[in-house]
Amino acid sequence: MPLDINGQTKLVGLIGYPVKHSLSPAMHNSAFAALNLNWCYVPLPVLPERLGEAVAGLRALNFVGANVTVPHKGAVMSYLDRVTPEAQAIGAANTIVVREGQGELIGYNTDWRGFLTALSEGGFDPQGERAVVLGAGGAARAVVYALAQAGAQVTVLNRTPTRAQALVQDFASLFPSMSLLSLPFTLQTLEERAAEAHLLVNTTPVGMWPEVDRSLWPEDLAFPNHLSVFDLVYNPRQTKLLRQARRAGVKVIGGLGMLVHQGAAAFELWTGEKAPVETMYEAASKTLRIAS
Ligand code: NAP
């Protein structure tokens, strides 16, 4: 927690709605304390119709920056002075930096980097590998961008096929030499695509608390043994999908690592210091244990 709040405390916030259950305040405040930084990270519940005012308020109130979460990651971009090419391509900014002196608001996306770091920590190198991504929402866009950047061939399976098509079309021009494909999510496409893939990534909320007994992987379908499974859901840490995969002897990676690494990348943008990743991991895990 912050060492001491005084006249020199620097402020960072989390703009979202709701933000009540976020792990980010605990994660960042522990990191500031570990590095003896007189900084404080506060939750900022912001309704969609007040987003513009809230973002302008960051400048007026001399915030150093902010994280942005659901439902504002896309909409926030129109209120910023500029966004990085990655955030522009993904269509979402989850981190804002307020440039000192000028008050310029710059939007970044650190989700894709968080995903790649967690993937590499889990021992998976996506270069040249075939990946299947379940879902085509905001998180899927960061994951597909990351996988394409890292040189993977990606198939997106989504319940609403037009959303997957739109995602793939958006990235096709950005990664003209990469193999990107979209298909409707059905048991048949899942079985066929997974059979020839090396990585399966769940970017849907299926399996998230309180619906912890749900998984998009059918009980009677065997996991190909060359598959690794990454689930972006981190509450619970061991989702049903990960339990199924683990039982089949398949390598699994949970979503908490991505959350911590996107946070670490944001922390480094704001502070210019190397993020204490272990401290952030412990704080996030502890808060998750208390909350569940
Ligand atoms: P989103 O924009 O609402 O997208 C959700 C996607 O999941 C959509 O493609 C949706 O399909 C699909 N979906 C939802 N329910 C489904 C179901 N019952 N069966 C099949 N598909 C279903 O959400 P998001 O922002 O991408 O977030 C998705 C999940 O990722 C959340 O659980 C979030 O907590 C997690 N996440 C984790 C991290 C991390 O750091 N670990 C970061 C970001 C997000 P349709 O298009 O058909 O509606």
Side-chain angles (χ1 to χ4, degrees):
M1 290 304 109
L3 297 178
D4 183 21
I5 294 187
N6 56 34
Q8 293 178 61
T9 304
K10 293 192 173 181
L11 288 174
V12 188
L14 171 65
I15 295 178
Y17 201 87
V19 286
K20 251 188 232 168
H21 300 295
S22 170
L23 306 183
S24 294
M27 197 164 77
H28 284 287
N29 285 320
S30 301
F32 295 146
L35 267 54
N36 250 327
L37 294 174
N38 185 3
W39 289 49
C40 182
Y41 186 107
V42 289
L44 303 169
V46 175
L47 287 168
E49 59 270 27
R50 310 301 293 267
L51 181 61
E53 286 171 78
V55 173
L58 293 175
R59 191 190 282 124
L61 294 167
N62 276 307
F63 271 59
V64 177
N67 274 144
V68 185
T69 187
V70 176
H72 303 316
K73 284 187 195 186
V76 77
M77 299 210 300
S78 60
Y79 299 108
L80 303 175
D81 296 311
R82 60 187 170 97
V83 298
T84 61
E86 292 93 348
Q88 191 69 54
I90 294 165
N94 72 326
T95 302
I96 300 172
V97 173
V98 185
R99 275 186 59 187
E100 213 177 342
Q102 307 156 28
E104 190 189 16
L105 301 170
I106 310 166
Y108 295 80
N109 186 301
T110 66
D111 280 334
W112 73 278
R113 205 168 270 293
F115 171 75
L116 273 190
T117 309
L119 194 59
S120 142
E121 232 175 41
F124 191 91
D125 178 2
Q127 167 71 45
E129 304 286 26
R130 277 193 282 269
V132 174
V133 173
L134 307 180
R141 294 184 69 91
V143 165
V144 172
Y145 179 86
L147 288 170
Q149 274 284 359
Q153 303 170 46
V154 186
T155 302
V156 180
L157 303 182
N158 197 43
R159 186 175 62 175
T160 309
T162 47
R163 204 169 176 194
Q165 278 161 10
L167 186 159
V168 162
Q169 246 164 33
D170 284 353
F171 287 132
S173 52
L174 205 62
F175 301 104
S177 61
M178 303 304 299
S179 157
L180 294 173
L181 181 71
S182 74
L183 290 170
F185 174 86
T186 64
L187 293 187
Q188 192 187 346
T189 55
L190 177 63
E191 182 171 3
E192 283 173 8
R193 288 293 145 173
E196 53 187 37
H198 308 99
L199 179 68
L200 177 79
V201 186
N202 175 45
T203 74
T204 78
V206 176
M208 188 166 78
W209 189 89
E211 299 192 338
V212 297
D213 290 326
R214 297 192 59 206
S215 162
L216 289 178
W217 191 270
E219 279 299 349
D220 54 358
L221 181 62
F223 278 93
N225 57 12
H226 46 80
L227 200 63
S228 291
V229 176
F230 193 127
D231 197 340
L232 260 63
V233 174
Y234 52 80
N235 187 12
R237 284 185 75 169
Q238 286 301 317
T239 59
K240 179 168 180 196
L241 173 65
L242 295 186
R243 282 185 271 126
Q244 289 171 298
R246 195 178 281 236
R247 263 202 312 276
V250 162
K251 195 184 217 181
V252 300
I253 308 171
L256 196 64
M258 175 176 172
L259 181 85
V260 169
H261 286 294
Q262 65 75 29
F267 181 97
E268 291 176 2
L269 286 169
W270 297 321
T271 64
E273 306 273 350
K274 188 156 174 38
V277 172
E278 273 310 308
T279 302
M280 295 174 85
Y281 223 113
E282 277 165 30
S285 310
K286 193 171 149 204
T287 311
L288 199 51
R289 269 201 308 276
I290 294 166
S292 46

